[in-house]
């Protein structure tokens, strides 16, 4: 079945650590996105990538980094510079330059301990 | 800068009633307006979407009403059921081919719907 797989589902991070969230898609979509979800704030865009080896900052990129070495993969690293990383992180993908459905993964809940 | 404003933040409806969620946007370049449904602990899933060349789109119990001049669109859930209890997000996007903006969605803040028996 085609879709987006995020892992892990739950992740715990100690203060000062970097952690990487995985996102893989087999939909052959060109564009991929990372959103952060906090209660009452909706989904806020962290980074997006329209094509391999290219990515752009979203609205809240500070403290995060990404890479897009393969079309299928768009990992997100939450660095120690992110002051409040506890949140639900969602990865999504869409075909390039087509306003059609965005497919989301099941999310990763990150908690700082 | 919030480009899509959604209301209400939460909504309680009796079973069989009509649920109405409203959104307003600012960017006139938006040309695709989807609604997403999200259950706790899951990713959002597309519910229904509309393009600005029509004023209404209906799929089963779900209807989007679109008012281009007012820059507003709304979701109506007819005969609401307890299984409809979820968080609903409106969103908007534009092709923005020339500026390279791609297809990124701008989301509203979400409405938590609870349908009571």
């Amino acid at each position: 079945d085609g879709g987006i797989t995020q892992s892990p589902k739950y992740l715990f991070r100690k203060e000062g650590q970097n952690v990487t969230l995985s996102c893989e898609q087999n939909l052959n979509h060109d564009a991929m996105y990372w959103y952060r979800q906090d209660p009452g704030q909706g989904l806020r865009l962290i980074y997006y990538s329209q094509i391999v080896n290219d990515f752009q900052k979203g609205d809240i990129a500070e403290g995060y980094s990404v890479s897009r070495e393969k079309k299928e993969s768009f990992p997100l690293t939450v660095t120690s510079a992110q002051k409040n990383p506890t949140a639900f992180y969602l990865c999504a993908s869409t075909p390039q330059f087509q306003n059609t459905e965005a497919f989301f993964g099941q999310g990763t809940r990150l908690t700082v301990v | 800068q919030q480009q899509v404003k959604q209301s209400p933040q939460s909504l309680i409806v009796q079973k069989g009633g009509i649920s109405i969620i409203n959104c307003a946007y600012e960017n006139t370049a938006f040309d695709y307006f989807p609604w997403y449904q999200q259950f706790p602990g899951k990713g959002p899933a597309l519910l229904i979407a509309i393009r600005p060349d029509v004023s209404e789109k209906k799929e089963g119990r779900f209807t989007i009403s679109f008012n281009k001049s007012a820059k507003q669109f709304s979701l109506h859930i007819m005969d609401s059921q307890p299984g409809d209890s979820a968080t609903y997000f409106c969103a908007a996007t534009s092709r923005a081919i020339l500026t390279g903006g791609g297809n990124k969605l701008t989301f509203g803040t979400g409405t938590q719907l609870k349908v009571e028996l």
Side-chain angles (χ1 to χ4, degrees), chain B residues 22-33:
Chain B
N22 300 300
C23 284
Y25 64 97
E26 299 169 4
N27 188 344
T28 55
F30 287 149
D31 55 8
Y32 177 67
F33 302 88

Side-chain angles (χ1 to χ4, degrees), chain A residues 9 33 35 37 40-43 45 48 50 88 90 94-107 109, chain B residues 9 31-32 36 38 41-44 46 51 89 93-97 100-110:
Chain A
K9 187 171 182 179
Y33 313 81
Y35 290 91
Q37 185 174 16
Q41 295 196 50
L43 280 70
L45 183 65
Y48 66 101
Q50 296 176 270
F88 190 51
L90 288 160
T94 62
Q96 180 65 300
F97 296 136
Q98 295 180 42
N99 284 353
T100 58
E101 178 178 2
F103 287 83
F104 283 84
Q106 294 297 291
R109 184 164 298 279
Chain B
Q9 185 174 349
D31 55 8
Y32 177 67
Y36 284 83
Q38 184 183 30
K42 304 294 184 183
L46 180 68
R51 300 186 188 277
F89 292 96
T93 187
S94 67
R95 289 184 182 86
I97 292 174
N103 200 12
K104 56 190 176 77
L105 289 160
T106 297
F107 283 89
T109 51

Side-chain angles (χ1 to χ4, degrees), chain B residues 4-82:
Chain B
V4 179
K5 294 184 179 181
Q6 183 172 347
S7 63
Q9 185 174 349
S10 62
L11 181 62
I12 300 175
V13 173
Q14 296 299 308
K15 180 183 176 184
I18 302 174
S19 303
I20 301 175
I21 304 171
N22 300 300
C23 284
Y25 64 97
E26 299 169 4
N27 188 344
T28 55
F30 287 149
D31 55 8
Y32 177 67
F33 302 88
W35 285 88
Y36 284 83
Q37 180 187 56
Q38 184 183 30
F39 293 103
K42 304 294 184 183
L46 180 68
L47 185 64
I48 186 172
I50 197 167
R51 300 186 188 277
D53 52 345
V54 296
S55 60
E56 185 175 283
K57 184 175 181 180
K58 184 176 181 179
E59 289 184 0
R61 297 185 292 109
F62 301 91
T63 300
I64 299 179
S65 297
F66 185 79
N67 185 330
K68 189 174 182 178
S69 61
K71 294 187 287 185
Q72 296 175 346
F73 58 110
S74 60
L75 175 69
H76 295 234
I77 305 175
M78 311 300 288
D79 187 25
S80 298
Q81 299 296 313

Side-chain angles (χ1 to χ4, degrees), chain A residues 29-33 47-56 68 71 74 94-97, chain B residues 94-104:
Chain A
H29 285 172
D30 292 301
M32 297 186 73
Y33 313 81
Y47 267 98
Y48 66 101
S49 168
Q50 296 176 270
I51 199 168
V52 175
N53 293 322
D54 181 69
F55 48 83
Q56 305 294 328
R68 188 82 186 280
K71 186 176 184 177
F74 191 41
T94 62
Q96 180 65 300
F97 296 136
Chain B
S94 67
R95 289 184 182 86
I97 292 174
L98 296 179
T99 61
N103 200 12
K104 56 190 176 77

